[in-house]
Amino acid sequence: MESYVFRVRGETVDKPKVVLGVSGGIAAYKACELLRRLTESGHDVRVVPTAAALHFVGEATWSALSGHPVSTEVWSDVHEVPHVRIGQEADLVVVAPATADMLAKAAHGMADDLLTNTLLTARCPVVFAPAMHTEMWEHPATRANVATLRDRGAVVIDPAVGRLTGVDTGKGRLPDPAEIFEVCRRVLARGVTAPDLAGRHVVVSAGGTREPLDPVRFLGNRSSGKQGYALARTAAARGARVTLIAANTGLPDPAGVDVVRVGTAVQLREAVLKAAPDADAVVMAAAVADFRPSAYATGKIKKKDGEEPEPIVLVRNPDVLAEISADRARAGQVVVGFAAETDDVLANGRTKLRRKGCDLLVVNEVGERRTFGSEENEAVVLGADGSETPVPYGPKEALAETVWDLVARRFG
Ligand code: CTP
């Protein structure tokens, strides 16, 4: 796995110290995969399971995969004062899975084993990845505990929806370990203990719409959705509740993000308008088709020997960005647009910003080999206040961070 330069609290660190807390749920086996990802990408991981977690995955596994001894209680190696030291020295604590019981203990500051002691002594960012049955997740007691932890600055990732331990399905699954790893990586890189988007709801659109011609053909575009997904992941790691409206992307659901899938521009508009009323920010990273075929053939369009094809007649699609900018669903809502331009990038960007009426417009130059599908991007963020923020060529995630910095500044 690719390693990267770690910056913890502004300092470059060789091997950030991560505590992986594991509480007693069946999803404990998935934490092994998270542990592997963390160690293979250069983190020094200390696993602190609860006694209940060891019913699911044994001490030998945690110890072998982490390369460290494992203990559940405070009475081992007492001369090293582990119940204080492990938390104090950590750069990040992640609890995955976090059971309802673990969230309750953490919210109330209980400290009856090594993991709960570690949570009380940690002064670094803390991420909880809950996993439990839907009823437990929705119980008012759990809701209150999650709200307390988030108020205190912890990042609590919403569980995923899907098959649970038994035959039932619902919200409560541990998100994909690869996605929990992404949250950890971002939280660690920011190295701040108070996520600045906590308590905010943000809506992000991503991908490219497809306008069907017949059951097998469509008019589409080359947007991969990667920039929108980077925005969603980054916002989640900064504590926001995120609704991601994904148009035709094949990317995995980011952890803790509510993903709504759409196909066409009209469907995307509906989904954005539904999610926008309580949103603090709406970021339109999707490439929305400006036109759609005026007619849809319910059967496949066939070629006819000796005949010219019928011309495709197009009609205008609604401009979602202009609409939400004009009718702000709530006062102070920050609206961000994206513009891909091939020529006169800045001048066209300024005109577009005014025409769309948004607060910020991320303008990037596109061409044959630039931006689409790549991991990198280069842009200038134009503000309705006349500001201009250049973002040098780099990962889409860095651009996402800058966008949220500028949005957070507008929240005041
Ligand atoms: N957008 C939208 N609805 C549309 C078209 C675009 O909400 N029907 C949004 C995109 O999500 C993006 C921004 O508008 O945030 C810029 O889109 P772009 O297609 O570049 O702008 P246009 O107004 O279509 O200008 P152009 O004439 O360059 O196509």
Side-chain angles (χ1 to χ4, degrees):
M1 183 176 296
E2 193 188 323
S3 64
Y4 59 99
V5 177
F6 304 106
R7 288 185 66 78
V8 176
R9 295 177 209 103
E11 305 276 313
T12 303
V13 171
D14 278 349
K15 239 177 163 3
K17 287 191 165 55
V18 175
V19 173
L20 171 60
V22 185
S23 52
I26 188 85
Y29 77 91
K30 292 192 192 169
C32 299
E33 164 74 12
L34 175 61
L35 173 56
R36 280 212 91 106
R37 284 183 180 267
L38 287 165
T39 52
E40 284 176 13
S41 56
H43 302 80
D44 180 14
V45 189
R46 181 83 197 231
V47 183
V48 184
T50 62
L54 296 185
H55 286 294
F56 296 98
V57 178
E59 190 185 323
T61 303
W62 301 121
S63 184
L65 289 179
S66 68
H68 286 295
V70 166
S71 172
T72 62
E73 31 87 6
V74 296
W75 306 115
S76 319
D77 304 315
V78 177
H79 60 287
E80 290 183 356
V81 205
H83 73 290
V84 177
R85 195 178 42 77
I86 294 174
Q88 280 176 339
E89 289 179 357
D91 296 311
L92 176 80
V93 177
V94 50
V95 184
T99 57
D101 180 60
M102 178 50 59
L103 295 174
K105 284 182 169 153
H108 293 278
M110 290 170 72
D112 58 357
D113 64 3
L114 188 56
L115 178 53
T116 45
N117 272 274
T118 300
L119 286 167
L120 276 188
T121 50
R123 292 294 174 267
C124 58
V126 179
V127 174
F128 290 94
M132 63 196 72
H133 272 78
T134 312
E135 292 81 356
M136 291 173 133
W137 173 250
E138 289 175 348
H139 194 284
T142 307
R143 307 308 310 147
N145 291 331
V146 168
T148 302
L149 292 166
R150 283 182 174 152
D151 275 356
R152 237 181 248 151
V155 173
V156 184
I157 302 171
D158 266 28
V161 176
R163 177 85 190 260
L164 302 173
T165 316
V167 289
D168 43 352
T169 57
K171 192 160 185 164
R173 267 173 78 88
L174 189 75
D176 189 356
E179 292 299 325
I180 302 174
F181 169 73
E182 286 301 319
V183 174
C184 293
R185 203 161 73 79
R186 284 168 171 78
V187 170
L188 195 56
R190 282 183 64 73
V192 286
T193 46
D196 59 347
L197 298 179
R200 302 286 183 182
H201 176 211
V202 303
V203 175
V204 177
S205 71
T209 61
R210 289 180 182 175
E211 310 300 322
L213 279 160
D214 70 14
V216 291
R217 303 183 181 94
F218 57 82
L219 299 181
N221 60 68
R222 295 168 59 195
S223 175
S224 66
K226 285 179 182 166
Q227 184 61 65
Y229 274 60
L231 282 154
R233 286 198 177 90
T234 313
R238 288 169 74 154
R241 178 161 75 86
V242 185
T243 305
L244 175 63
I245 296 164
N248 308 298
T249 59
L251 304 169
D253 289 358
V257 167
D258 192 10
V259 183
V260 180
R261 298 197 180 278
V262 295
T264 65
V266 168
Q267 289 166 356
L268 183 137
R269 173 179 175 272
E270 261 171 43
V272 170
L273 293 187
K274 189 163 172 235
D278 74 341
D280 297 288
V282 180
V283 180
M284 287 290 298
V288 185
D290 288 319
F291 306 99
R292 66 178 180 277
S294 65
Y296 173 72
T298 50
K300 189 178 167 197
I301 301 167
K302 305 290 277 181
K303 57 183 169 305
K304 295 187 190 108
D305 281 345
E307 277 184 33
E308 287 300 309
E310 289 287 324
I312 298 171
V313 180
L314 299 174
V315 292
R316 279 296 280 267
N317 267 332
D319 188 326
V320 188
L321 177 60
E323 187 176 344
I324 51 169
S325 299
D327 307 321
R328 303 278 167 138
R330 56 190 285 190
Q333 185 177 68
V334 179
V335 180
V336 184
F338 271 68
E341 301 288 345
T342 50
D343 313 287
D344 289 337
V345 177
L346 285 185
N348 280 333
R350 273 275 159 227
T351 311
K352 196 170 282 183
L353 175 74
R354 273 193 297 276
R355 185 157 49 81
K356 301 268 188 178
C358 49
D359 302 292
L360 294 164
L361 189 76
V362 183
V363 190
N364 52 34
E365 192 178 339
V366 289
E368 276 305 302
R369 284 184 306 109
R370 298 186 77 130
T371 305
F372 289 113
S374 85
E375 303 296 333
E376 254 110 32
N377 212 344
E378 178 182 5
V380 178
V381 188
L382 303 178
D385 55 2
S387 62
E388 227 170 74
T389 312
V391 184
Y393 189 75
K396 290 186 170 177
E397 160 179 336
L399 174 56
E401 294 282 9
T402 304
V403 169
W404 293 124
D405 287 347
L406 294 168
V407 167
R409 213 173 289 161
R410 278 156 181 80
F411 288 154

